[in-house]
Amino acid sequence: MRAFDPRLTPARGDLAAKALEGKVAAPRYAEGRTYEVIEPQAPLCNEPAPDAALATQALKGEGVTIYDINGEGWAWGQLAADGYVGWLPANALTSPGPALTHKVAALRTFVFAVPSIKTPPLEALPFGARLAIARFEEPFAITTTGGYVPAVHIATIETYEPDFVAVAERFAGVPYLWGGKTMLGIDCSGLVQIALNACGIACPRDSDMQEEALGEPADISGLRRGDLIFWKGHVGIACGDASFIHANAFHMAVAIEPVADAIARIRDAGSEITSVRRLTP
């Protein structure tokens, strides 16, 4: 049978999605059930264990199709937004609620139990998290579950940022976290995905997927703002013709630095640029 990318294919040794029957061999197949992420951010791991590798994160309001929940409280399924497959804590999921109407447009915001910023927040939500807003009572937006969110920190689902590079630059200084997608920690491809998604541009999760799917070939000698620079296992976003922004383990942060400096440092570590990709308007 055809080989599928395991990161994007809900199939494992003992189970596969019913939709894959006849395409992927498995002892049994399961119909998925739709859930919604209820935690501010939920880890999606390669294995059902707290010390398993973090593959990515799912943000509040994100949809996920679950095919299996084990006895230790881990749910196995596929994210709706980018198709990533893995294990999430089952207690981070709930049945879908009211239609999601808004998203967090600040790097982070708070949800309060009452209309006062002087009270302890119920939760802190990351950029891109989605909410169902019932009404507005300035300066707050009130969720369908009764939480109070600063109205200035949210935007409608249909609102898109005009410049994905500017979105990425807002994350400058955020700590590096493998698999991360929030201002508490983010990785190189997570930064690209979050920035492009904020502008309404679909984007795969990992850098190799992004290199294959995004843009057209360009040359490093004619670098432009918004070009994506790829190395094996790494990606950055050009801020102009001489600097770029990337989440990286050398700085352990999202950093803006001269492209030439990064090329030399990464070359010394044994890696060369594999491509430059230019997103067309």
Side-chain angles (χ1 to χ4, degrees):
M1 289 189 174
R2 175 186 165 191
F4 291 89
D5 189 332
R7 296 170 295 179
L8 302 175
T9 309
R12 61 192 205 209
D14 64 328
L15 176 66
K18 183 69 173 177
L20 293 174
E21 191 168 6
K23 302 175 183 177
V24 172
R28 64 188 179 98
Y29 301 88
E31 295 283 0
R33 179 180 171 188
T34 301
Y35 286 82
E36 184 178 295
V37 176
I38 197 171
E39 294 295 320
Q41 61 273 326
L44 185 145
C45 300
N46 294 325
E47 300 293 338
D51 60 350
L54 178 64
T56 187
Q57 291 175 318
L59 307 185
K60 186 180 180 74
E62 191 165 346
V64 55
T65 301
I66 296 299
Y67 298 97
D68 180 36
I69 299 177
N70 72 13
E72 285 74 49
W74 289 88
W76 181 75
Q78 184 171 34
L79 301 181
D82 61 18
Y84 222 100
V85 173
W87 293 89
L88 303 100
N91 60 8
L93 307 174
T94 188
S95 297
L100 302 169
T101 58
H102 290 72
K103 59 188 175 184
V104 176
L107 281 188
R108 204 157 191 83
T109 194
F110 299 107
V111 181
F112 299 95
V114 296
S116 171
I117 61 172
K118 297 181 179 180
T119 58
L122 297 174
E123 58 184 350
L125 301 180
F127 182 86
R130 298 190 167 205
L131 300 166
I133 299 297
R135 65 188 189 281
F136 287 83
E137 291 181 7
E138 293 296 339
F140 292 101
I142 305 173
T143 69
T144 54
T145 55
Y148 291 79
V149 184
V152 70
H153 285 172
I154 63 172
T156 63
I157 293 289
E158 297 80 14
T159 299
Y160 295 115
E161 299 278 351
D163 181 353
F164 79 91
V165 183
V167 173
E169 290 171 340
R170 289 164 62 184
F171 283 81
V174 166
Y176 177 83
L177 175 67
W178 180 279
K181 288 179 60 174
T182 80
M183 62 91 63
L184 293 179
I186 198 164
D187 67 11
C188 64
S189 54
L191 180 66
V192 171
Q193 186 184 56
I194 285 288
L196 287 176
N197 285 173
C199 297
I201 303 170
C203 179
R205 178 57 178 91
D206 292 344
S207 62
D208 63 319
M209 301 174 184
Q210 293 169 355
E211 186 171 19
E212 182 177 343
L214 298 174
E216 300 295 334
D219 195 284
I220 191 69
S221 63
L223 201 63
R224 297 180 189 173
R225 180 178 174 85
D227 286 351
L228 302 178
I229 309 168
F230 290 93
W231 291 263
K232 181 177 175 56
H234 190 59
V235 60
I237 306 169
C239 301
D241 62 0
S243 65
F244 80 132
I245 184 168
H246 60 145
N248 66 94
F250 177 79
H251 295 96
M252 280 307 294
V254 177
I256 298 173
E257 65 173 320
V259 174
D261 290 357
I263 290 174
R265 185 179 66 249
I266 296 172
R267 177 179 293 130
D268 287 344
S271 184
E272 298 284 351
I273 290 174
T274 54
S275 73
V276 177
R277 307 291 294 181
R278 178 166 297 157
L279 277 65
T280 54

